[in-house]
Amino acid sequence: MFNIQKETIDWAGRQLTIETGRMARQATGSVLVTYGETSVLATAVAMKQVKDGIDFFPLTVNYQEKYFAAGKIPGGFFKREGRPTDKETLTSRLIDRPIRPLFPKGFKNDTQVMLTVLSHDMENDPDIVAMVGASAALVLSGLPFLGPIGAARVGYKDGGYVINPTIDEMKESDLDLVVAGTGDAVMMVESEAKELTEEVMLGAVMAGHEAFQPVIDMIIRLAEKAAKEPWDFVPEDHSALEAKVQKLVGKDIAKAYTIKDKTERYAALGAAKEKAVAELALSEANPDGVDPAVLKGVLKDVEASVVRGGIIKTGKRIDGRKLDDVRAIVSEAGILPRTHGSALFTRGETQALCVATLGTGEDEQMIDDLTGMYKERFMLHYNFPPYSVGETSFRLAPGRREIGHGKLAWRAMRAVLPSAEDFPYTIRLVSEITESNGSSSMATVCGSSLALMDAGVPIKRPVSGIAMGLIKDPEGIAVLSDILGDEDHLGDMDFKVAGTEVGITSLQMDIKIAGITKEIMETALSQAHAGRAHILAEMNKALTGARGELADTAPRIEQMKIPVDKIRDVIGTGGKVIREIVEKTGAKVNVEDDGTIKIASSDAASIKAARDWIHSLTAEPEQGAVYQGKVVKVMDFGAFVNFFGARDGLVHVSQLKAERVNHPNDVVKEGDLVWVKLMGFDDRGKVKLSMKVVNQETGEEIAAEGEAD
């Protein structure tokens, strides 16, 4: 019934198996990939017919984690997997980026790659397994895919690289880098680092590229046994049409790209394109014209040829800059009066308004994934409203691009954040892109760094970011610093580098051609280093470090530690005690499992009241110490005083005043606030207090007779 084919290798100390022929046999291509005991089903399906009017490659990648893979039942009312989590969205993007450029130009068949996590061993992250599966499924499908690709994760510890570290090993790593590519070149890099040098980062990329070569070889071996017949796809030849377009509007496009202002440039380009459409597109007036979708693609090719050729020949870019020039920068901090921290970072026609908000432990994000439930104290959210590029659209939930850009900036900033012990706040950054013309994610990094410092967050060092581009033609190669949006769309690489003056904290690379070499990456990293240093200098004009104090509107948080066995005394039965503390003091109180207590309020008196209350519940009274207490009961032989949390003690009638007292009622009444000194404990452990040795007005102890003044 089944025609099962499989390949197995030992890869970085664990067994990797790719199997086909047993599951999802009606898909165009399908494999089951198992690494350790993590298994992912990868399928690829493409439609035979192209939809009318399609002028792009409709590729969709969907990665999904099934909770049963880890022996879990989903939370929530419906108890089933719902909308994609951020991890699923980010992994879908991670897989899409290296495979999309390897489909031939002109292929427009609707294609969907689905990756389903079926088993998770809590050691091997499914994302690398899914990338290998996507590559294998596409190669076996017979689609015109110029793969296979391989992928690997690279860690860095004690001066050495670790290939495919386990989830636990990653906690001790200074680097989390994912690299994907073909046998000859790198296609994609995504990373987070703890201020590592360019040399270490480049070495990690190359170590990962070398490490996944055996995976590429095993996919080829499996394809030799199980691949379907290749699709009969021949790209359409539009060279004649391209020549017509070039003759008709080539000079107009070239002239438009001499205009530095984006809005004016786009208006001139729009006029040139309208001229071409009116002359060449199929219409009632022109029944012999070409398909508008085809014409649109050819116009883009002509546009790319003009821009790329101009940069290679002249060394000048669209806005007149040299290859390594960075646009003009304006950095401003503290521009919003009621926020905890704010900054406006403007670089050319790209602008990010970044706002930092400080919260308590109650504000931490609860995340439930296959590895379990955990809390995240640092969040960064990126928003890209349509007005930032002069457009209109429906405002929906954050898309893949917004989630991806936010995560990139999050990775860039995480390495410089203070520890929770040193700064016990939950931190949320929001980046609103108010203008965009290239590299808004790196503007988010710069603006976020300034906003954190404006909020008084003691980050280790400021972080800056820059986006690099590449033009690679037979006539030459040009590496571009701080790319414009057009240079991104029409170029061959988007290479983003963020870091401090010490080293790199995040690196992301996407290639639109069949990979780049180590030499090109080395040049881009070196050029990016100079660009980052320049941007940092411009940021320093606004702030060079964190402000000395938090904003008046920010909560104040103090920490204290209590014995673990005293936690129940603070919380009380059903939370009764802690609710009473919060209600009466006005402070927020968060109790952690290790006995750490965070007390938060914008009022210092509220924090002190809550701290003293908790201290009285968990500490033991000290003999010889003076306390203020309340008289709770008066007896013939003395008065009971509540002086330390819930603890009461007796002030004997002989200890009420220095002179003789006939009855305690002559001195105190229930509800009176009095000062008492803890004299000790009787044989039964009862507390003995004295009022007569304490000045009842000042709370100061009265010196005994014979003591010096």
Side-chain angles (χ1 to χ4, degrees):
M1 183 175 183
F2 300 116
N3 180 22
I4 300 174
Q5 301 289 340
K6 68 170 62 177
E7 287 288 328
T8 300
I9 63 170
D10 183 78
W11 189 34
R14 279 145 285 169
Q15 185 171 282
L16 174 68
T17 300
I18 306 178
E19 172 193 296
T20 189
R22 180 163 54 170
M23 293 187 189
R25 291 173 295 163
Q26 295 184 50
T28 312
S30 67
V31 295
L32 179 69
V33 183
T34 302
Y35 190 44
E37 292 184 346
T38 294
S39 298
V40 176
L41 176 64
T43 63
V45 175
M47 303 306 293
K48 289 289 186 180
Q49 303 299 322
V50 178
K51 294 179 181 178
D52 292 337
I54 292 291
D55 61 351
F56 63 95
F57 174 34
L59 170 66
T60 305
V61 177
N62 296 111
Y63 167 89
Q64 185 177 26
E65 297 179 338
K66 296 294 186 180
Y67 275 69
F68 61 69
K72 295 177 62 177
I73 294 175
F77 182 81
F78 293 104
K79 296 295 179 184
R80 67 177 299 162
E81 291 82 2
R83 63 184 297 272
T85 64
D86 281 1
K87 166 69 183 298
E88 290 171 321
T89 297
L90 292 165
T91 304
S92 296
R93 281 172 53 87
L94 198 69
I95 297 167
D96 183 297
R97 286 156 49 193
I99 65 175
R100 185 178 291 272
L102 294 177
F103 282 87
K105 185 177 179 181
F107 185 71
K108 299 175 184 177
N109 298 60
D110 202 351
T111 304
Q112 185 176 40
V113 178
M114 296 192 69
L115 300 311
T116 309
V117 181
L118 302 181
S119 176
H120 187 14
D121 60 10
M122 303 298 171
E123 291 186 1
N124 300 289
D125 197 312
D127 56 3
I128 296 297
V129 185
M131 294 180 80
V132 171
S135 172
L138 287 168
V139 169
L140 297 185
S141 69
L143 293 173
F145 173 66
L146 305 178
I149 65 164
R153 173 171 272 106
V154 182
Y156 187 72
K157 183 181 179 183
D158 299 329
Y161 298 115
V162 183
I163 302 300
N164 292 344
T166 64
I167 291 172
D168 286 341
E169 288 173 337
M170 280 305 306
K171 296 174 183 176
E172 305 297 324
S173 177
D174 291 331
L175 173 67
D176 181 1
L177 182 142
V178 175
V179 57
T182 63
D184 301 323
V186 173
M187 298 294 301
M188 184 277 298
V189 177
E190 184 77 43
S191 67
E192 177 182 350
K194 295 180 180 178
E195 297 183 286
L196 299 179
T197 65
E198 281 78 6
E199 291 76 16
V200 171
M201 296 298 289
L202 182 58
V205 173
M206 302 319 297
H209 183 259
E210 181 181 353
F212 62 63
Q213 296 307 310
V215 178
I216 291 177
D217 293 339
M218 76 181 296
I219 293 174
I220 293 172
R221 290 196 301 271
L222 184 63
E224 290 172 348
K225 297 186 290 186
K228 295 181 179 178
E229 289 296 318
W231 281 34
D232 185 18
F233 173 75
V234 179
E236 295 182 25
D237 182 7
H238 298 304
S239 57
L241 178 59
E242 188 171 334
K244 286 183 181 180
V245 172
Q246 180 70 46
K247 183 178 179 180
L248 182 64
V249 296
K251 291 182 179 179
D252 296 335
I253 292 175
K255 185 177 180 180
Y257 272 107
T258 63
I259 302 172
K260 295 182 180 181
D261 181 78
K262 177 184 174 183
T263 303
E264 294 179 11
R265 180 169 67 250
Y266 276 27
L269 284 171
K273 292 174 182 178
E274 287 175 6
K275 178 180 176 182
V277 169
E279 183 76 20
L280 301 172
L282 176 66
S283 65
E284 291 183 4
N286 186 12
D288 297 325
V290 299
D291 184 340
V294 172
L295 180 58
K296 183 177 179 181
V298 170
L299 277 166
K300 184 176 180 180
D301 291 341
V302 171
E303 192 178 345
S305 177
V306 168
V307 173
R308 295 162 64 90
I311 291 174
I312 293 292
K313 291 173 185 175
T314 66
K316 293 285 187 180
R317 298 159 63 180
I318 295 170
D319 55 1
R321 284 183 290 152
K322 297 178 182 178
L323 300 183
D324 59 353
D325 281 350
V326 176
R327 288 171 287 175
I329 292 172
V330 177
S331 300
E332 303 170 79
I335 66 169
L336 301 177
R338 293 291 296 174
T339 61
H340 298 164
S342 62
L344 186 69
F345 180 83
T346 308
R347 188 189 58 242
E349 295 170 305
T350 296
Q351 186 179 76
L353 173 64
C354 297
V355 181
T357 306
L358 305 180
T360 67
E362 294 179 358
D363 299 309
E364 291 180 338
Q365 183 180 16
M366 297 294 296
I367 299 176
D368 184 19
D369 65 13
L370 292 187
T371 60
M373 183 82 74
Y374 66 94
K375 293 181 178 180
E376 178 55 62
R377 63 181 282 263
F378 173 50
M379 295 157 277
L380 195 155
H381 298 136
Y382 166 102
N383 298 312
F384 192 86
Y387 66 75
S388 65
V389 287
E391 296 177 357
T392 61
S393 72
F394 290 108
R395 291 298 291 143
L396 303 174
R400 287 188 174 189
R401 181 179 181 277
E402 288 178 299
I403 293 172
H405 279 27
K407 190 67 172 183
L408 174 59
W410 180 88
R411 290 190 178 106
M413 298 304 306
R414 204 158 71 118
V416 300
L417 293 178
S419 67
E421 291 73 24
D422 295 334
F423 193 74
Y425 287 85
T426 298
I427 303 169
R428 183 188 184 223
L429 282 164
V430 177
S431 173
E432 296 286 333
I433 303 304
T434 51
E435 294 182 33
S436 181
N437 186 13
S439 193
S440 56
S441 62
M442 293 297 96
T444 293
V445 170
C446 301
S448 294
S449 182
L450 291 168
L452 285 176
M453 292 189 291
D454 183 53
V457 179
I459 62 174
K460 295 176 184 176
R461 280 166 288 275
V463 181
S464 66
I466 189 170
M468 311 296 293
L470 173 71
I471 305 294
K472 187 172 182 286
D473 275 353
E475 291 80 11
I477 295 175
V479 176
L480 316 178
S481 295
D482 180 25
I483 55 175
L484 299 173
D486 289 332
E487 291 169 339
D488 182 6
H489 303 149
L490 304 177
D492 298 322
M493 177 180 76
D494 185 7
F495 190 100
K496 299 184 176 79
V497 188
T500 68
E501 62 183 4
V502 172
I504 293 172
T505 57
S506 184
L507 185 154
Q508 183 187 84
M509 183 180 73
D510 291 316
I511 303 300
K512 302 172 188 176
I513 54 178
I516 63 171
T517 63
K518 177 183 177 181
E519 291 71 28
I520 293 176
M521 280 190 286
E522 204 164 20
T523 300
L525 281 169
S526 175
Q527 202 165 307
H529 180 86
R532 285 193 296 111
H534 169 74
I535 294 169
L536 272 175
E538 293 298 313
M539 291 167 57
N540 286 341
K541 294 178 181 179
L543 279 176
T544 58
R547 298 196 190 278
E549 58 183 22
L550 304 182
D552 292 339
T553 53
R556 265 57 178 172
I557 298 180
E558 288 190 15
Q559 290 190 129
M560 61 186 297
K561 192 91 168 181
I562 64 171
V564 174
D565 60 0
K566 294 288 187 180
I567 292 177
R568 62 179 180 270
D569 297 331
V570 176
I571 295 176
T573 304
K576 178 182 178 182
V577 175
I578 197 169
R579 284 198 300 271
E580 185 180 6
I581 295 172
V582 170
E583 180 182 343
K584 291 189 175 181
T585 67
K588 292 183 178 181
V589 179
N590 180 261
V591 183
E592 299 181 1
D593 294 340
D594 65 352
T596 299
I597 296 182
K598 297 177 182 177
I599 308 168
S601 174
S602 56
D603 181 10
S606 294
I607 292 178
K608 184 179 185 304
R611 188 185 186 95
D612 291 346
W613 192 331
I614 293 169
H615 180 74
S616 70
L617 293 172
T618 58
E620 295 295 331
E622 299 178 20
Q623 186 170 333
V626 174
Y627 301 95
Q628 187 176 43
K630 180 187 290 187
V631 177
V632 293
K633 196 171 187 178
V634 180
M635 308 292 288
D636 291 340
F637 52 83
F640 287 98
V641 175
N642 173 232
F643 73 101
F644 193 86
R647 191 181 287 266
D648 296 342
L650 174 66
V651 181
H652 191 267
V653 65
S654 64
Q655 296 295 319
L656 288 171
K657 295 187 73 172
E659 60 268 21
R660 176 181 171 81
V661 176
N662 292 323
H663 193 278
N665 276 328
D666 296 338
V667 180
V668 294
K669 294 181 175 56
E670 289 186 15
D672 286 353
L673 291 177
V674 297
W675 290 99
V676 296
K677 178 180 178 180
L678 175 58
M679 306 300 292
F681 304 88
D682 64 18
D683 295 339
R684 295 176 297 173
K686 300 294 185 181
V687 175
K688 295 189 295 182
L689 303 174
S690 174
M691 287 173 52
K692 71 179 185 180
V693 298
V694 184
N695 186 315
Q696 293 301 308
E697 292 183 1
T698 65
E700 295 180 359
E701 191 172 350
I702 299 173
E705 279 189 41
E707 287 186 355
D709 291 336

